């Protein structure tokens, strides 16, 4: 969204553009949606005209001394017409839903595919996340803009056509009757609109209240929190919060209802004025003999109906305006430019057996919305086949460094190079193929153990390879014990017979997954965080075997774990504070040696106390 001069957000797409977008979409996905709309417009207009003309036509026939047979035929035709139009409308109404859902689903699919495939930085960008939440809101249900717009367009067209017909009828009485009706109907609409705008402008306030309420409800029902809720007695706190936000929402709701009440009252008064003046005039004309009974009834009905069309047009335009804003947000999200190249980038196939060199050249990086750089002017070359350890305190920027190396973020300044070439030119998905990683937070699927290692559907899994990786990751024995071995499902969210693994076992399974991928660069971010000391030391000893001659980066806050690496980097204050082998750094007697000393003292003292 652009900003207007007043600082308000201006949608990138206008109402006409959004209507055209939806019509194009329906034309592509389900043309039936458009023909059903056309049918409904026809029925709506036809029904209103039949209702308007039926009584005057019968009166006219009676006044004209029509024979009983002709009168009966006239009534029959009108009745038949009504029955046909109403049946057709009911039939079409019943059949609106499927096509409209189809069109909405196609938009949902596009939006979800966009989320799934978007560049990684978007997934952590609060602005983007907020925008996408808003965008998906317009596709949530049948009543949201992505589907409800068809009803709005149908109603709008019906109102406009009927309005024109009624206008022609009323202008027979005199132009100012039509003008009076139009002016007072418009006044009553705008009075109501002020109230609707008031409510609309407070939707953020309403959304924030509902969001907090939803949050409390969601956290109270979250099974993963059940332990904490019981042990820390969080129940009363949650109940208090629930009461507080329910009360606030009730107050908000009551306030808006009071506004609506005033709007309804004003509407009533204006309707009284409008109808009173018009009816008064018609009665005066009838008394003066200027109008026959049939004309009198026709104009009388036209006056009361006219206001309905004028209000209808304004109301539908108001609704369309809001729906258009929501659709604009949806389109803006789908059009958000990708910071990374994908299909358009240079292909980068993995070269078998090739040892890659990675380089950060004068790299600085700042997270979106942050007010300082996390990394600043970092220069680092990871040589082909080198085993690099990255150490530093929590929050020093180790994971950020890895995200940059893996191409999950681009530096705010500087370059990341693979074999001397800037990685920005490549298809980013090809680049990712070069990395086997175990991150601290990982995603697993409710598939089998084997599928989670291989990351493909069961029939495509290379089983011997899976077992080899499970073995090397040190989790094969555990998988062998499971009821269906590698075919046992992971987690119980989907499969009742699924099995949950402990944190350490899960970390090993993720290691097996990284090994299975067999990519030329291995990245392990705190891979021993959930392992017991024996498993941890086992991993250190087998690190060379696990990574082979591949380039690898090992992150840890445990300085002792870096001995088996060719080089150690200490990250501090947004940069590389020290680098060298473990022994060199100890000899240097700087920060690394100091931190190592503290850590080893703690372990030694702990061990002595244990003894
Ligand atoms: P480490 O891995 O050394 O513990 P990180 O690289 O995870 O540190 O984080 C470095 C700094 O960047 C921290 O101050 C952290 O709060 C911040 N940070 C990490 N991830 C994000 C993010 N997605 N958005 C904003 N700030 C972040």
């Amino acid at each position: 969204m652009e900003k207007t001069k007043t600082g308000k957000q201006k949608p990138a797409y206008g109402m006409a553009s959004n209507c055209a977008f939806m019509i194009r979409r329906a034309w592509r996905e389900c043309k039936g949606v458009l023909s059903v709309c056309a049918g409904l417009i026809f029925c709506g207009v036809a029904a209103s005209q039949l209702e308007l003309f039926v009584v005057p036509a019968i009166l006219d026939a009676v006044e004209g001394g029509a024979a009983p047979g002709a009168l009966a035929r006239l009534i029959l035709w009108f009745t038949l017409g009504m029955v046909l139009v109403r049946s057709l409308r009911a039939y079409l109404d019943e059949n609106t839903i499927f096509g409209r859902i189809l069109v909405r689903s196609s938009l949902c699919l596009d939006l979800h595919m966009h989320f799934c495939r978007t560049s990684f930085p978007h997934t952590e960008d609060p602005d983007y996340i907020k925008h996408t939440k808003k965008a998906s809101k317009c596709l949530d249900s049948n009543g949201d803009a992505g589907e409800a717009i068809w009803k709005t367009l149908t109603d709008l067209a019906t109102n406009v056509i009927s309005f024109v017909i009624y206008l022609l009828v009323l202008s027979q009485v005199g132009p100012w009757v039509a003008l009076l009706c139009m002016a007072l109907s418009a006044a009553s609409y705008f009075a109501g609109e002020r109230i609707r705008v008031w409510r609309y402008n407070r939707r953020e306030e309403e959304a924030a209240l509902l969001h907090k309420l939803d949050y409390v409800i969601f956290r109270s029902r979250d099974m993963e929190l059940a332990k904490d809720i019981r042990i820390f007695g969080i129940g009363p706190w949650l109940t208090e919060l629930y009461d507080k936000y329910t009360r606030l929402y009730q107050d908000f709701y009551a306030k808006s209802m009071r506004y609506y009440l005033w709007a309804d009252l004003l509407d009533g008064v204006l309707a009284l004025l409008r109808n009173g003046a018009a009816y008064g005039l018609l009665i005066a004309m009838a008394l003066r003999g200027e109008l026959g009974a049939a004309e009198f009834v026709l104009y009388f009905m036209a006056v009361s109906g006219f206001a309905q069309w004028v209000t209808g047009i304004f109301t539908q335009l108001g609704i369309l305006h809001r729906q258009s804003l929501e659709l604009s947000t949806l389109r803006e999200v789908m059009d958000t430019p990708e910071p990374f190249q994908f299909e358009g980038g240079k292909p980068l196939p993995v070269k078998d057996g090739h040892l890659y060199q990675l380089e950060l050249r004068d790299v600085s990086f700042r997270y979106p919305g942050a007010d300082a750089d996390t990394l600043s002017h970092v220069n680092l070359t990871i040589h082909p086949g080198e085993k690099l350890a990255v150490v530093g305190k929590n929050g020093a920027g180790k994971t950020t460094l890895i995200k940059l190396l893996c191409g999950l973020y681009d530096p705010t300044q500087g370059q990341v190079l693979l074999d001397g070439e800037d990685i920005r030119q490549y298809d980013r998905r090809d680049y990712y193929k070069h990395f086997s990683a175990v991150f601290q937070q990982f995603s697993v699927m409710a598939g089998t153990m084997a599928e989670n290692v291989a990351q493909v559907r069961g029939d495509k899994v290379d089983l011997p390879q899976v077992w080899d990786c499970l073995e090397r990751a040190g989790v094969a024995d555990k998988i062998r014990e499971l009821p269906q071995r590698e075919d046992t499902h992971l987690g119980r969210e989907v499969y009742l017979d699924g099995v949950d693994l402990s944190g350490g076992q899960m970390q090993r399974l993720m290691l097996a997954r990284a090994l299975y991928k067999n990519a030329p660069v291995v990245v392990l971010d705190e891979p021993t965080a959930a392992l017991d000391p024996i498993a941890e030391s086992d991993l250190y000893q087998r690190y060379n075997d696990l990574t082979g001659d591949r380039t690898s980066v090992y992150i840890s806050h445990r300085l002792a774990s870096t001995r088996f690496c060719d080089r150690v980097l200490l990250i501090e204050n947004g940069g590389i504070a020290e680098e060298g082998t473990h022994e060199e750094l100890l000899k240097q007697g700087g920060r690394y040696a100091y931190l190592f000393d503290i850590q080893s003292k703690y372990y030694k003292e702990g061990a002595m106390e244990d003894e």
Side-chain angles (χ1 to χ4, degrees):
M1 285 204 184
E2 294 167 36
K3 288 218 167 167
T4 61
K5 282 181 190 158
T6 55
K8 283 193 178 164
Q9 299 267 289
K10 190 171 164 244
Y13 299 97
M15 205 190 276
S17 160
N18 289 324
C19 293
F21 167 79
M22 288 303 286
I23 290 170
R24 277 200 303 277
R25 185 51 80 127
W27 185 260
R28 199 179 86 194
E29 297 296 332
C30 179
K31 295 188 180 59
V33 168
L34 301 176
S35 37
V36 166
C37 284
L40 282 170
I41 294 168
F42 168 78
C43 291
V45 173
S48 72
Q49 302 321 303
L50 285 170
E51 278 159 20
L52 176 66
F53 285 104
V54 58
V55 179
I58 293 169
L59 276 179
D60 198 34
V62 172
E63 268 185 336
L71 201 60
R73 266 199 305 282
L74 183 71
I75 294 173
L76 191 73
W77 278 121
F78 267 106
T79 316
L80 209 65
M82 293 269 205
V83 169
L84 274 178
V85 166
R86 289 201 173 142
S87 312
L88 182 61
R89 181 148 74 176
Y91 172 78
L92 290 173
D93 261 337
E94 278 300 308
N95 285 285
T96 50
I97 194 97
F98 301 108
R100 292 178 186 186
I101 288 183
L102 209 71
V103 176
R104 179 164 62 93
S105 306
S106 85
L107 288 169
C108 279
L109 187 69
D110 279 6
L111 187 65
H112 288 139
M113 285 313 285
H114 176 83
F115 292 163
C116 294
R117 299 173 70 84
T118 193
S119 309
F120 181 80
H122 281 158
T123 66
E124 291 190 343
D125 179 353
D127 268 352
Y128 180 86
I129 294 171
K130 196 171 135 201
H131 218 51
T132 52
K133 273 196 183 150
K134 244 175 153 183
S136 53
K137 179 77 198 68
C138 89
L139 300 172
D140 269 359
S141 70
N142 311 97
D144 290 313
E147 192 173 322
I149 191 168
W150 301 117
K151 179 167 175 4
T152 313
L153 288 175
T154 309
D155 289 351
L156 183 62
T158 309
N159 280 301
V160 169
I161 298 172
S162 304
F163 164 80
V164 172
I165 297 172
Y166 273 54
L167 191 66
L168 291 175
V169 170
L170 276 185
S171 51
Q172 309 281 314
V173 192
W176 67 271
V177 177
L179 280 176
L180 175 84
C181 287
M182 217 146 60
L184 287 173
S185 304
S188 106
Y189 169 79
F190 284 116
E193 183 58 8
R194 279 187 72 93
I195 309 301
R196 284 186 288 275
V197 167
W198 178 86
R199 178 82 192 250
Y200 186 71
N201 288 342
R202 270 153 197 79
R203 69 197 190 289
E204 300 256 333
E205 189 185 331
E206 185 179 13
L209 276 175
L210 286 175
H211 180 67
K212 286 178 184 144
L213 198 56
D214 281 352
Y215 176 79
V216 176
I217 296 171
F218 172 73
R219 299 306 271 177
S220 319
R221 288 201 308 220
D222 189 348
M223 296 298 184
E224 285 191 6
L225 293 185
K227 287 197 292 297
D228 298 61
I229 288 177
R230 280 159 185 76
I231 297 294
F232 291 99
I234 302 173
W237 184 24
L238 287 170
T239 313
E240 249 176 57
L241 286 175
Y242 177 81
D243 287 345
K244 178 182 160 190
Y245 291 119
T246 311
R247 237 184 353 262
L248 283 174
Y249 187 66
Q250 277 168 351
D251 291 348
F252 175 86
Y253 197 74
K255 198 170 168 193
S256 42
M257 284 302 117
R258 278 198 293 279
Y259 272 93
Y260 280 123
L261 187 69
W262 282 112
D264 286 347
L265 265 175
L266 188 64
D267 191 41
V269 171
L270 288 172
L272 197 72
L273 281 177
R274 178 188 63 223
N275 292 354
Y279 293 156
L281 175 84
L282 290 178
I283 291 168
M285 286 172 81
L287 290 177
R288 286 201 300 270
E290 292 166 21
L291 293 178
E295 281 172 312
F296 178 78
V297 172
L298 177 68
Y299 297 141
F300 197 89
M301 291 178 76
V303 166
S304 54
F306 188 74
Q308 175 196 331
W309 305 126
V310 175
T311 316
I313 291 172
F314 283 121
T315 307
Q316 298 309 326
L317 277 176
I319 298 174
L320 189 62
H321 174 67
R322 269 162 236 162
Q323 290 173 338
S324 165
L325 284 181
E326 290 179 21
L327 286 169
S328 181
T329 308
L330 171 75
R331 295 175 70 194
E332 283 160 32
V333 166
M334 296 214 270
D335 293 351
T336 310
E338 291 296 338
F340 296 165
Q341 297 212 63
F342 294 110
E343 285 77 11
K346 237 164 99 178
L348 182 68
V350 177
K351 293 183 223 156
D352 261 353
H354 177 74
L355 297 180
Y356 288 89
Q357 172 176 294
L358 282 158
E359 185 184 346
L360 298 184
R361 190 176 290 172
D362 192 29
V363 163
S364 297
F365 181 75
R366 181 177 298 202
Y367 282 102
D371 44 20
D373 286 349
T374 296
L375 293 174
S376 164
H377 301 289
V378 173
N379 283 295
L380 164 70
T381 304
I382 309 175
H383 305 288
E386 187 180 17
K387 312 236 169 295
L388 182 79
V390 182
V391 298
K393 290 194 292 191
N394 286 338
K398 304 182 293 294
T399 304
T400 307
L401 185 96
I402 292 305
K403 284 182 188 164
L404 289 164
L405 281 173
C406 290
L408 292 170
Y409 274 102
D410 275 342
T412 341
Q413 187 201 313
Q415 289 173 294
V416 178
L417 308 151
L418 180 76
D419 282 344
E421 298 286 333
D422 193 324
I423 66 164
R424 270 180 269 227
Q425 62 188 297
Y426 297 123
D427 175 342
R428 197 56 66 104
R429 293 192 186 101
D430 276 358
Y431 183 73
Y432 294 147
K433 290 184 185 145
H434 293 68
F435 292 85
S436 276
V438 178
F439 293 113
Q440 291 186 47
Q441 276 140 8
F442 35 72
S443 64
V444 289
M445 296 279 288
T448 65
M449 299 291 165
E451 284 172 332
N452 270 291
V453 171
Q455 297 285 293
V456 284
R457 290 268 309 274
D459 50 345
K460 298 196 185 95
V461 173
D462 178 346
L463 262 190
Q465 175 72 3
V466 165
W467 278 107
D468 178 53
C469 297
L470 289 171
E471 220 52 89
R472 285 160 62 205
V475 68
D477 287 346
K478 173 67 198 170
I479 305 294
R480 261 187 222 103
E481 280 170 16
L482 297 174
Q484 285 158 295
R485 293 165 52 99
E486 78 279 3
D487 288 331
T488 309
H489 287 112
L490 182 58
R492 288 172 216 234
E493 267 178 69
V494 178
Y495 299 100
L496 292 180
D497 64 349
V499 166
D500 288 319
L501 295 181
S502 73
Q505 288 159 349
M506 190 65 99
Q507 208 156 26
R508 283 165 176 264
L509 193 78
M510 293 299 98
L511 185 60
R513 175 171 82 167
L515 295 173
Y516 187 95
K517 188 175 173 191
N518 200 19
V521 184
V522 180
V523 174
L524 304 178
D525 189 356
E526 300 276 8
T528 61
L531 297 188
D532 58 57
I534 298 174
E536 191 178 351
S537 121
D538 175 54
L539 189 121
Y540 297 160
Q541 278 163 24
R542 291 194 296 133
Y543 185 73
N544 281 329
D545 169 44
L546 291 174
T547 52
D549 54 4
R550 279 168 290 189
T551 311
S552 74
V553 185
Y554 183 94
I555 297 190
S556 181
H557 65 278
R558 294 281 297 271
L559 307 189
S561 68
T562 60
R563 282 176 217 231
F564 51 83
C565 292
D566 302 324
R567 186 162 48 127
V568 182
L569 297 186
L570 174 70
I571 304 278
E572 238 174 24
N573 303 324
I576 302 171
E578 289 174 20
E579 65 178 302
T581 62
H582 173 71
E583 283 71 25
E584 283 166 1
L585 291 177
L586 284 188
K587 248 189 239 154
Q588 253 179 45
R591 283 287 295 164
Y592 182 88
Y594 169 73
L595 292 171
F596 182 76
D597 193 38
I598 294 182
Q599 277 192 359
S600 47
K601 236 190 229 157
Y602 170 77
Y603 285 116
K604 271 185 219 149
E605 279 167 16
M608 274 158 70
E609 274 165 27
D610 287 348
E611 278 166 23

